[in-house]
Amino acid sequence: MHAVRNIRLCTKDCLCLYVCPTGATDTETGQIDAQKCLSGCRLCVDACPSHAISLVPEEYPAQQETSGDVKKALGILSKSKTEQEIAAYEIEEAAETPRAKQLAKAIGMSNRIMAEDLLREAGFMLPQSGEVLKLLNSLVESETSEDFPAAAAEKLIQKLRKINASMKEKTMSKTTDNLLEAFAGEAQANRKYLAFSRKAEQEGHLNAAKLFRAAADAETIHALKHFEVAGKIGSTIENLKSGVEGETHEYKEMYPPFVEQAEAEGNNAAVRTFTFAMKAEEVHAGLYQEAMDTLDNQEEVFYYLCPVCGNIEKVVPGKCPICGVSGEKFIKY
C-alpha cells in the first residue's frame, strides 16, 4: 500500500510534509512519490486534516463489471452533478458576501466529489479499467471544444497503456512463478509417493503400494504439464545446456556446504547420501556436455545407471567408482 493525495480535497495545511520520514509528500507536482513512500506507513494519512490522503494497493484489483444500463444512468447523474458544480462556481464568482461565496464553493466541491464517485462506479476512474482508455480515446478522436486538453489526454492514454502492460506483465510473471512452484511440488510428491510405494511393498501392503505408484504417476502428469506451460522446455540443445548448468550448480555450489554441515553435526548417513549425489551430479554434467558436443552423432549410445548412488556410465564397470556396488547391478538404458 502507498499513499496518494486528492488535490481537490487538499487544503495546503502541509502537515504531511512534516510527518513523512522519506520526503515522499514533498514534490513539485503535489502528487506523492510512490517510490519513496513506505508501504503501510499511514503517517501522512492520519496527519491530513482534510482527509485528502489515502492508501491504495500496489496492484489494483480487476475492474468490477457494470452493465450498460447502469453505466448510462451513472453517466447521466455524473453529467448532472458536473453541471451543478459549474453553476455553483458561477454563483461563487457572482456572490457579494463571503458567506454566500463559501456556501457556493462548498456546494461546488460537493458536486465534484459526487461526480467523481459516480464516474468511479461506472469504471471511468480506475487505471486498470479498459473503460478509461475507451473514454479518453473517444474524446481525443471526436470533435472537442478548443479548450479540451487533447495533448494532456493523449499523454494520459500513453501512460495508462504502459500501466496496463506492466500489470499484465506482472500477472504473467506471477503465474509463471506459480507454475514453477507447482512443478516443484508435484515433482517432489512423485518421488515421495514412489518411496511410500516401496515401503508399502516391503510391508506387504500391495494395494497401498499400487495406489502410491498410481498417485506418483499422476503427480508426474501434473508436473510435466506445469513445466510445459511455464515455457521451460526448449530445444534439445537448450535442454542439454540447462542440464549442464543444473548439475554443475549442484555439485559445485549446492552439495559441498550440505556435506560440510552434515559432517559438523555428525550425521554420517546424510554425509553419505550428499557425497554420493554430489559425485554423481559431476558425472551427469560431463555426460550432458558430451551429448551437446556430439548431438549430431547418429551412432547409438547406451548408458548404465548405478541403482545405489545414481552414477551413470557408458560402459558397465567392474564396480561403481562412487559407491563400490557391483557393475552387475547397473541398469541399462
Side-chain angles (χ1 to χ4, degrees):
M1 303 285 284
H2 67 272
V4 295
R5 179 188 287 117
N6 187 330
I7 301 299
R8 293 186 177 278
L9 295 180
C10 180
T11 52
K12 305 296 189 297
D13 296 274
C14 298
L15 294 181
C16 58
L17 302 182
Y18 298 100
V19 299
C20 180
T22 64
T25 56
D26 187 11
T27 61
E28 294 181 359
T29 62
Q31 298 297 334
I32 296 174
D33 189 339
Q35 299 299 320
K36 293 183 180 179
C37 184
L38 298 177
S39 179
C41 169
R42 288 193 62 88
L43 288 177
C44 60
V45 176
D46 296 334
C48 182
S50 59
H51 305 291
I53 301 177
S54 57
L55 294 181
V56 298
E58 299 295 336
E59 295 184 11
Y60 291 96
Q63 172 65 39
Q64 184 176 356
E65 289 294 329
T66 305
S67 68
D69 290 340
V70 173
K71 286 181 182 178
K72 184 177 180 180
L74 290 169
I76 293 172
L77 287 171
S78 177
K79 182 179 180 181
S80 173
K81 293 301 177 184
T82 301
E83 291 172 348
Q84 292 177 44
E85 177 195 6
I86 294 172
Y89 290 148
E90 290 176 350
I91 293 173
E92 179 188 2
E93 291 182 4
E96 298 179 354
T97 65
R99 179 173 293 183
K101 285 182 176 291
Q102 187 176 13
L103 176 59
K105 182 177 181 179
I107 293 174
M109 181 173 290
S110 174
N111 279 285
R112 160 59 63 173
I113 293 172
M114 285 188 283
E116 289 181 350
D117 286 341
L118 290 165
L119 286 171
R120 187 177 294 109
E121 287 299 321
F124 288 111
M125 292 189 69
L126 296 178
Q128 78 275 23
S129 170
E131 298 295 339
V132 178
L133 283 174
K134 291 179 184 178
L135 175 63
L136 289 174
N137 280 319
S138 66
L139 291 174
V140 170
E141 294 171 0
S142 63
E143 295 183 4
T144 55
S145 60
E146 293 181 358
D147 59 348
F148 177 73
E154 185 62 41
K155 185 176 181 180
L156 182 56
I157 288 173
Q158 297 303 323
K159 185 174 182 179
L160 288 175
R161 284 175 177 167
K162 288 182 180 179
I163 291 174
N164 290 343
S166 176
M167 291 177 64
K168 184 177 181 180
E169 183 178 341
K170 287 181 179 179
T171 301
M172 291 299 293
S173 176
K174 179 60 178 175
T175 298
T176 299
D177 291 342
N178 291 341
L179 284 166
L180 293 177
E181 183 176 347
F183 165 73
E186 299 286 4
Q188 290 179 12
N190 166 268
R191 300 293 92 183
K192 178 175 68 176
Y193 293 152
L194 285 178
F196 290 173
S197 176
R198 290 178 182 176
K199 184 63 175 179
E201 286 180 347
Q202 292 171 3
E203 295 178 348
H205 304 301
L206 300 184
N207 289 332
K210 288 191 291 184
L211 174 59
F212 280 130
R213 283 200 303 273
D217 288 344
E219 306 301 2
T220 297
I221 293 171
H222 300 159
L224 292 177
K225 181 55 68 175
H226 295 335
F227 201 59
E228 177 187 349
V229 174
K232 295 299 181 179
I233 302 177
S235 65
T236 299
I237 193 71
E238 291 171 335
N239 295 336
L240 285 169
K241 182 179 179 181
S242 176
V244 172
E245 293 173 351
E247 302 296 271
T248 300
H249 165 74
E250 290 179 2
Y251 84 80
K252 281 190 174 182
E253 300 177 28
M254 187 179 81
Y255 278 120
F258 288 0
V259 173
E260 183 179 352
Q261 183 66 40
E263 289 176 339
E265 296 178 1
N267 190 330
N268 294 329
V271 171
R272 176 185 173 86
T273 187
F274 286 153
T275 301
F276 281 176
M278 179 174 63
K279 292 181 178 180
E281 307 301 16
E282 184 173 3
V283 174
H284 299 169
L287 290 172
Y288 280 139
Q289 184 62 55
E290 181 182 336
M292 283 179 60
D293 298 338
T294 60
L295 188 59
D296 294 331
N297 184 4
Q298 299 300 316
E299 183 179 351
E300 186 174 12
V301 178
F302 293 100
Y303 296 97
Y304 301 88
L305 170 68
C306 174
V308 175
C309 69
N311 179 35
I312 299 176
E313 299 286 343
K314 294 175 68 176
V315 177
V316 179
K319 64 178 181 179
C320 178
I322 294 178
C323 67
V325 72
S326 172
E328 296 178 353
K329 295 185 177 181
F330 272 56
I331 303 169
K332 182 180 179 180
Y333 288 86

